[in-house]
Amino acid sequence: MKYRTLGSMGPTVSAMGYGCMGLTQSYPPYLPEHESVALIRKAADMGITFFDTAEAYGPFSNEALLGKALHHCRKRIIIATKFGFDFENGRNDAHNRPITLSSRPEHIRKALEGSLRRLRTDYIDLYYQHRVDPDTPIEEVASTMADLIKEGKIRYWGLSEAGIQTIRRAHAVCPVTAVQSEYSMWYRKPEKELLPVLKELGIGFVPFSPLGKGMLAGRFHSDSTFGADDFRSAIPRFNPQNLKHNVAMAELVQSIASSRHTSPARVALAWLLAQEPWIVPIPGTKTVERLSDNVGAVDISFTTEELNAIRRALDGITIIGARYPEEQEALTGL
C-alpha cells in the first residue's frame, strides 16, 4: 500500500480508502453481517487504513458494523464519519421520505456521542458535516468543531458536498482538513472551482463514488436495469434512455484498460490518484476480488502524455442526466 497526507496538515492515510456505505444502504443485496465484518478486516489486512462511514448509512447500522469489525485495531486506522441529519424528525433514504437537516451545536454533540458508542471508540479521526444546514451558520458549526478538537473527541473535521464559499467561511474559523464530494471520470464538475480552492487552502479531497456507482468498473451495459430498492434506479443518468448514451464512458475506460492490460476499475481509480497528491478515493465493494482490484490501482501510473490523451477523450463524451434525484441534488452546494 502507498500512503498520502490529507491536505497540508491532515492525517496520513492509505492512498486508497474504503467506503462502507454500500454494505448497509443503497445497493442491495447486502452481505450477512459476518461476511461484511470479514471484508472490512480483509481491507485492513491489505493495508487500507482509511475507512468512511456515517450515522446516516442505515441509519446507524453502518457505524455499528465498522465498530465491530475494527475495534481490535483501532489505533492503526483512520475512521471518518458524518453528522448532519435529524433522525427524530425525518429520514435520509431513497424512498421519498422527508430529509431533515440539523447542525445545531447541541445536535452535533448528541450525534457525536452516538457515533462514538457505535464505533466503539473515544474519538473520531475525521468528522464531516454530511450536508450543509442552511439554518445553522457554518461559522457556528466550525466553532463547535474547534471545541470538539480541543476536547479530544475529534482530531480533524471536514465538509461533504459543500460549495466553495461555505468552505472558505468554515476554514477561516477552524481549518478544514478534507472535503468529500463526488468526483470521477463520470462526474468532473469539481475540477472547475472546487479543486483549485482546495489546493489554495491546503485541504484534502476525498472523492466518493470514484467508480461512477459501478459504471466505470465495467459492471453495466446499455440495457442494464436496476431494482426499485437500488439507489441507481432513482438517478437520472442511470435511467434506460440516458444509460444507452452514457455507457460510452464505460466503453472508453474499458478501452484504456485493455491497452494497459489491467481492469477498468484500476484505470478509473489510478486516474483520480494522478490528479493531485492529496486526493484519496473511497471506493466501496462487497467482494474480496473487487477489493483487491481497487487496491491494485495505487501501483498504476500514467505519463503526462497519457493523462492528456485521456482528458481529451473524456472531454469528447457528454454525460446525460443528473447525478442525484432532484430532492437530494438540492441539498448539495456544488
Side-chain angles (χ1 to χ4, degrees), residues 6-20:
L6 275 179
S8 59
M9 297 184 294
T12 297
V13 299
S14 52
M16 194 66 59
Y18 182 82
C20 299

Side-chain angles (χ1 to χ4, degrees), residues 126-142:
L126 177 57
Y127 202 36
Y128 292 107
Q129 183 187 43
H130 207 153
R131 293 292 185 272
V132 176
D133 176 9
D135 296 327
T136 305
I138 195 62
E139 290 82 1
E140 192 171 342
V141 176

Side-chain angles (χ1 to χ4, degrees), residues 96-250:
N96 298 317
R97 289 182 284 188
I99 296 175
T100 306
L101 298 173
S102 179
S103 285
R104 300 186 312 275
E106 63 273 19
H107 182 83
I108 293 173
R109 287 184 173 275
K110 181 179 179 180
L112 176 60
E113 292 306 317
S115 292
L116 291 171
R117 182 178 63 255
R118 289 185 291 272
L119 288 164
R120 305 189 191 187
T121 183
D122 54 7
Y123 67 95
I124 301 298
D125 296 287
L126 177 57
Y127 202 36
Y128 292 107
Q129 183 187 43
H130 207 153
R131 293 292 185 272
V132 176
D133 176 9
D135 296 327
T136 305
I138 195 62
E139 290 82 1
E140 192 171 342
V141 176
S143 180
T144 302
M145 295 297 106
D147 290 341
L148 293 174
I149 291 171
K150 290 178 183 177
E151 295 167 21
K153 292 189 174 182
I154 68 174
R155 296 178 60 204
Y156 306 95
W157 84 289
L159 296 163
S160 178
E161 297 277 79
I164 59 173
Q165 294 308 317
T166 298
I167 293 168
R168 288 188 182 279
R169 288 166 53 198
H171 191 69
V173 176
C174 180
V176 175
T177 293
V179 167
Q180 180 178 128
S181 290
E182 183 171 356
Y183 180 42
S184 69
M185 290 175 162
W186 173 250
Y187 181 74
R188 293 168 54 207
K189 188 175 180 180
E191 294 175 352
K192 185 176 182 180
E193 294 184 332
L194 180 60
L195 292 185
V197 168
L198 299 184
K199 187 172 186 176
E200 172 196 339
L201 299 178
I203 298 172
F205 188 48
V206 180
F208 68 76
S209 297
L211 295 174
K213 297 178 172 62
M215 174 60 77
L216 302 180
R219 293 181 55 195
F220 309 122
H221 52 77
S222 59
D223 295 319
S224 293
T225 58
F226 306 92
D229 56 352
D230 187 312
F231 181 49
R232 284 168 289 226
S233 67
I235 297 176
R237 60 179 51 190
F238 280 99
N239 74 36
Q241 182 177 352
N242 291 340
L243 188 62
K244 291 183 184 300
H245 171 87
N246 293 339
V247 74
M249 182 62 73

